[in-house]
Amino acid sequence: MAQGKFRHEFKYVSPEYILSGLEKRISSLLEADTHAGENNTYSIRSLYFDDMYNSCYYENENGTDPREKFRIRIYNSSSGRITLELKRKVKGMCMKTSCPISIDDTNKIISGGIPDFDSETPFLLKKLIMEMRSRALKPVVIVSYERVPFIYRDGNVRITFDRNIRSSCDFKGFFDPDLSSRPVMETGINMVEVKYDELLPGFINESLQTARLNQTSFSKFYICRKFNRIGDLFR
């Protein structure tokens, strides 16, 4: 199981013409992420969980502190790397804990079941299973988007440009490259995320400040659930 440290995390939404200019500026200052593919881009798809009371949704809306949520994440619609993640937010800082999850366990969850566990099961997966049993935690939304990532090693800075943010409740199509989904942002509006450890270098901060970004406290999970059909949100 991989457990990170608490980090600063800020999200911004702005028109594409602002983001495109900022991306060009950032690309001259930071390295492209070596994990990205052609055009320094990869596709992210995450299956998020919530309970019968939509607690995660309302905690995000109300700014509850602390709060946490589970997700299963894949890249480029591939089952080659499937990761269970728990994201925890405390006093404005975020920490992500993760572990691998098998395609069999993922498909069982998607089909409405709860995986079994034994002594070899990662602790994080055991925690999810216990919360599925005790809180009726279940998949509630799929969040998809394309990401262009940049990194700066001093301060462990990561800046990502996320476009074409979409939501879906077609859980059985989680691995389908042609998953049916719908956009959740206004046309031409996209998102930038800025993450770092203790300190954001001044020249990066200055580049961000001059871009006239609009900071948001809401996550992609929240935005995608908000713009789902009412029947999907409160079913």
Side-chain angles (χ1 to χ4, degrees), residues 36-79:
E38 187 177 355
N39 299 320
N40 192 34
T41 303
Y42 54 83
S43 175
I44 291 178
R45 187 173 292 171
S46 298
L47 177 69
Y48 282 90
F49 294 76
D50 209 341
D51 61 20
M52 67 179 73
Y53 303 109
N54 299 293
S55 299
C56 294
Y57 175 85
Y58 287 117
E59 286 173 357
N60 193 289
E61 184 171 71
N62 297 329
T64 302
D65 188 1
R67 62 180 184 268
E68 61 183 27
K69 56 181 177 284
F70 280 98
R71 68 189 179 200
I72 295 175
R73 174 163 287 189
I74 60 173
Y75 298 88
N76 300 319
S77 306
S78 171
S79 61

Side-chain angles (χ1 to χ4, degrees), residues 2-31:
Q3 181 165 331
K5 59 187 295 185
F6 279 102
R7 309 183 71 207
H8 297 275
E9 179 176 300
F10 299 98
K11 301 179 179 69
Y12 305 89
V13 293
S14 279
E16 178 58 30
Y17 75 90
I18 291 179
L19 265 59
S20 295
L22 177 61
E23 183 179 339
K24 290 179 181 178
R25 193 180 314 153
I26 292 298
S27 67
S28 67
L29 300 172
L30 278 66
E31 302 175 33

Side-chain angles (χ1 to χ4, degrees), residues 72-135:
I72 295 175
R73 174 163 287 189
I74 60 173
Y75 298 88
N76 300 319
S77 306
S78 171
S79 61
R81 175 188 171 192
I82 313 173
T83 307
L84 172 65
E85 299 179 346
L86 176 65
K87 196 164 185 181
R88 182 171 175 82
K89 190 160 189 176
V90 181
K91 296 181 180 179
M93 303 285 283
C94 294
M95 182 175 67
K96 183 174 70 176
T97 305
S98 64
C99 73
I101 181 171
S102 70
I103 188 169
D104 289 340
D105 283 343
T106 302
N107 283 330
K108 188 167 188 176
I109 290 170
I110 287 171
S111 299
I114 300 177
D116 297 319
F117 68 91
D118 55 30
S119 60
E120 301 299 318
T121 303
F123 173 80
L124 188 62
L125 180 53
K126 289 180 181 177
K127 179 178 171 68
L128 173 64
I129 292 169
M130 289 299 98
E131 297 209 11
M132 292 180 75
R133 292 179 176 178
S134 63
R135 296 175 52 206

